[in-house]
Amino acid sequence: MNTAPIKKRYYFISALVIILGIILLFLPFNKNRNQLSAEKLLLSITNNDRFFSTDEVAKFIISGDPSYQLIDVRSEEEYAKFSLPGAINIPLSKILNKDKSGYYEWEGYLNQKVKTNIFYSNGSIYANQAWMLTKRLNYPNNYVMKGGLNEWVETILKPKQPEASASQSALNQYDFRIAASTYFGGGSNISADSSDKSNTKNNTTSAKKKKKKSADGGC
Amino acid sequence: MGPLITQGIISPEWNPMIAFIVGLGFGFALEQAGFSSSRKLIGIFYGYDMIVVRVFLTAVLTASVGLLFFNYLGWIDYDLVFVNPTFLWSAIIGGAFVGLGIIMSGFCPGTSFSALSIGKIDALAFIIGIGIGVFFYAETFELLFEKLYYAQNLGGIRIYETFGISPGLFMFLFILFGLGIFWFTIFIKKKYSNRNLKY
């Protein structure tokens, strides 16, 4: 700083920064440029990639596949009354909750690459909404159980016998469903909403919050 | 395109590796700028050496001007950039304590490690002090600090949003402010240069 040439460089840099500042003053500021575009979102809503059928979900549960995580997006009361084995409860109204330090409370479960999350609710609507929120946040590996618990009751717990002329695959599917309904303690002649169904949820686990924090900065 | 890790272009597993490389560069830059000298760092508070202020201003201006141009070119998504949430009271009180620590020791946490790397014993003492402080804080967090820590959470706020002005305008004002400080410190330096302090 004591010599003149360095000073000259300072003048040059100052002028350059001011010019850049003036340019920035008139440049438009883009927001959300790289978020999921409307077209892409529409495309992923209209195609059915996000759905798992109730049969597939039943297979995951019976085989005890640890790479799948069922997530019940109904309210806590409904979850307490009945839920699928192994499901955790993240109510739809609380999915975007932030914890005390301002991070998404459930991010550890919803934004991860290890497990395949499957949302379910009574029908498809709330599970779809949960899926939409996570999709918009660009969280990977989230799916929806098609038809929800209503479909679950109709297909797995109380399967209808296909006609004798039905295809072999339909008959096989029926056999699987009969076996599954026995496994889930249903049996085709017991109504699904009877209270003794609640004993199927004895191995459900309540969700603990996992934290996924970005590193803090410092000097 | 960016942020590269959030967008999944670089997998998150690389995070520690990238941090390591950036950290090496950061430490090297600190050491080369002479920041491992506690006299140099303390100079701001006594007013005889403002190089630290200038270096930091240069870094901030370069990074922020660059980010805004990146945004214009579509290279970075501002909404995905992580903004540390502002906890008003812990920022004020914690900031005061860190400032006090810097005045007392002549190191900031980063420079103490670059000073240790060139073998300064006082930096070692400082780092042991940090360790004890961190341990005390972590062990008594729920007892003493939790309420204060979470008080007045303003979320991930940005200054231009708070003032309701465009980022470009804020940047322009900030550049003027930064250059003002920059030239002011050179002016101060001139006034004090006759003292000829040796490190």
Side-chain angles (χ1 to χ4, degrees), chain B residues 13-61:
Chain B
E13 286 73 26
W14 278 94
N15 232 340
M17 193 63 198
I18 292 168
F20 179 71
I21 294 166
V22 172
L24 281 184
F26 184 54
F28 182 74
L30 283 179
E31 162 53 26
Q32 287 302 298
F35 286 8
S36 48
S37 157
S38 43
R39 287 196 186 85
K40 196 151 211 162
L41 210 66
I42 218 78
I44 330 166
F45 298 102
Y46 294 100
Y48 61 76
D49 194 342
M50 289 290 176
I51 187 80
V52 178
V53 176
R54 285 210 291 279
V55 167
F56 269 85
L57 271 175
T58 313
V60 170
L61 282 180

Side-chain angles (χ1 to χ4, degrees), chain A residues 160-189:
Chain A
K160 278 199 191 101
Q161 190 165 11
E163 289 174 26
S165 59
S167 68
Q168 186 60 41
S169 63
L171 291 170
N172 288 346
Q173 189 184 40
Y174 177 68
D175 286 344
F176 168 74
R177 286 175 174 177
I178 286 292
S181 81
T182 318
Y183 175 87
F184 290 110
S188 50
N189 49 0

Side-chain angles (χ1 to χ4, degrees), chain A residues 1 14 30 32 34 100 219, chain B residues 1 54 71 79 108 110 146:
Chain A
M1 276 141 280
S14 303
N30 302 305
N32 306 343
N34 287 317
K100 279 186 283 187
C219 98
Chain B
M1 204 163 92
R54 285 210 291 279
N71 169 269
D79 277 4
C108 101
E146 194 168 13

Side-chain angles (χ1 to χ4, degrees), chain A residues 74-86:
Chain A
R74 301 171 306 156
S75 68
E76 276 134 2
E77 297 85 54
E78 285 175 296
Y79 172 76
K81 266 188 211 155
F82 172 75
S83 69
L84 297 180

Side-chain angles (χ1 to χ4, degrees), chain B residues 4-199:
Chain B
L4 295 176
I5 290 176
T6 318
Q7 300 270 46
I9 295 166
I10 297 176
S11 94
E13 286 73 26
W14 278 94
N15 232 340
M17 193 63 198
I18 292 168
F20 179 71
I21 294 166
V22 172
L24 281 184
F26 184 54
F28 182 74
L30 283 179
E31 162 53 26
Q32 287 302 298
F35 286 8
S36 48
S37 157
S38 43
R39 287 196 186 85
K40 196 151 211 162
L41 210 66
I42 218 78
I44 330 166
F45 298 102
Y46 294 100
Y48 61 76
D49 194 342
M50 289 290 176
I51 187 80
V52 178
V53 176
R54 285 210 291 279
V55 167
F56 269 85
L57 271 175
T58 313
V60 170
L61 282 180
T62 310
S64 48
V65 168
L67 272 178
L68 276 177
F69 273 101
F70 271 34
N71 169 269
Y72 173 68
L73 297 170
W75 289 355
I76 198 152
D77 186 342
Y78 255 52
D79 277 4
L80 294 178
V81 176
F82 179 75
V83 180
N84 238 359
T86 302
F87 298 99
L88 197 58
W89 285 110
S90 46
I92 291 173
I93 295 170
F97 269 104
V98 169
L100 205 63
I102 293 178
I103 297 175
M104 277 160 52
S105 65
F107 293 115
C108 101
T111 63
S112 68
F113 282 92
S114 66
L116 181 66
S117 72
I118 58 168
K120 292 203 167 175
I121 302 292
D122 53 344
L124 182 63
F126 181 82
I127 289 167
I128 293 172
I130 289 184
I132 295 170
V134 166
F135 182 78
F136 173 76
Y137 176 77
E139 287 301 315
T140 58
F141 176 74
E142 273 147 22
L143 199 69
L144 298 175
F145 299 110
E146 194 168 13
K147 258 196 167 161
L148 176 70
Y149 183 91
Y150 291 121
Q152 282 281 330
N153 182 3
L154 304 179
I157 52 170
R158 294 178 165 112
I159 295 179
Y160 57 82
E161 280 168 2
T162 314
F163 288 156
I165 57 178
S166 78
L169 176 59
F170 173 72
M171 198 58 233
F172 182 69
L173 296 176
F174 188 71
I175 285 173
L176 292 185
F177 169 78
L179 285 179
I181 298 275
F182 193 88
W183 285 103
F184 179 67
T185 56
I186 289 176
F187 171 73
I188 288 203
K189 166 84 181 172
K190 257 189 175 173
K191 271 198 135 183
Y192 280 82
S193 60
N194 53 353
R195 287 195 186 179
N196 268 330
L197 283 148
K198 289 259 154 42
Y199 306 132

